[in-house]
Amino acid sequence: MSEWVALIIAMASACAVVVAVMLLRRRRPIVEGSTDETPDVIEYITMMIGVVYAIVLGLAIAGVWEARGAAQDDLFREAQSLREVSDRAVIYPVEFRDQVRADVDAYVTYVVNTEWDYMKENGAITEKGDQLLRKLHDDVATRSPASDLESQAYQSIMDRVSQASEARNSRGQNAGPTMPGVVWFGLIGGAVVTVGMLFALQIRRTPRELILALCFSALIAFLLFMIWDFDNPFSRTVSVTTQPFEDLFPSLNLGG
């Protein structure tokens, strides 16, 4: 099912629940005085519940957005570090330079064409990717510098390999949903309570009040869907893509 279809279904379901409750209330006999003004204490409690839930929603949205931004930064750092390793390898003799660049290209190609789909489906990185990056590290680390220029460049290349490894580990930790289940329990439970409090305000079933209630319910459903969509940085509609690798390694024809 498309995620946009899921969003429409979620918003329509929230509106349908509101309409159903309104129809059930209409079937009940109207007690004299039931449409009088809502007691002040109920209005105050409803307002406070709305304010508290709005704060919780805002924090949740900020949290998942920050996690997505961190995942994007880690991916760019990983791709940039590998690009610099490939570029700095120019100081080595042709045979070893080609070996280093072949290691980098093999790792990048595997990540984009194979590991990325696995990570989206399983929420984890692969052992094969670890092995390819480790091979690059071992090839560079086990070769003794043969000149002063290689000695000067050795540490910087090793630093870039280490940065790529750290960024990869961060990518593995951010793969999959980032929000714990207890937070989702609070968000969904708060949505039910917040929307339910609408019916404590003595809504008189006028078209204007019904439209406002439907819009409010649809907004809550949309915000929850947006949090769910951002919760997994590497999957769903708004996700981090392999674009940094594709931009920095155009000769590999990645993603084709």
Side-chain angles (χ1 to χ4, degrees), residues 20-50:
V21 174
M22 295 296 295
L23 292 177
L24 289 176
R25 291 186 65 188
R26 178 173 293 182
R27 287 175 173 268
R28 294 174 54 189
I30 300 178
V31 180
E32 184 177 359
S34 62
T35 58
D36 291 346
E37 293 184 1
T38 303
D40 291 341
V41 64
I42 294 181
E43 291 185 353
Y44 176 77
I45 293 174
T46 302
M47 179 187 68
M48 291 305 300
I49 289 176

Side-chain angles (χ1 to χ4, degrees), residues 189-236:
V192 173
V193 173
T194 302
V195 175
M197 287 301 294
L198 291 175
F199 303 105
L201 295 177
Q202 301 292 352
I203 297 177
R204 296 188 297 272
R205 301 186 297 273
T206 63
R208 180 178 60 183
E209 292 176 339
L210 182 58
I211 290 174
L212 289 176
L214 292 177
C215 291
F216 179 76
S217 303
L219 176 62
I220 295 295
F222 171 77
L223 292 176
L224 289 177
F225 176 86
M226 184 173 63
I227 294 172
W228 173 82
D229 201 23
F230 287 163
D231 186 32
N232 192 332
F234 298 104
S235 185
R236 299 172 185 164

Side-chain angles (χ1 to χ4, degrees), residues 110 115 118 125-134 168:
Y110 175 79
E115 185 179 59
Y118 178 89
I125 55 179
T126 64
E127 180 64 25
K128 177 66 177 298
D130 293 336
Q131 294 174 357
L132 291 173
L133 190 57
R134 192 178 306 118
R168 173 180 173 79

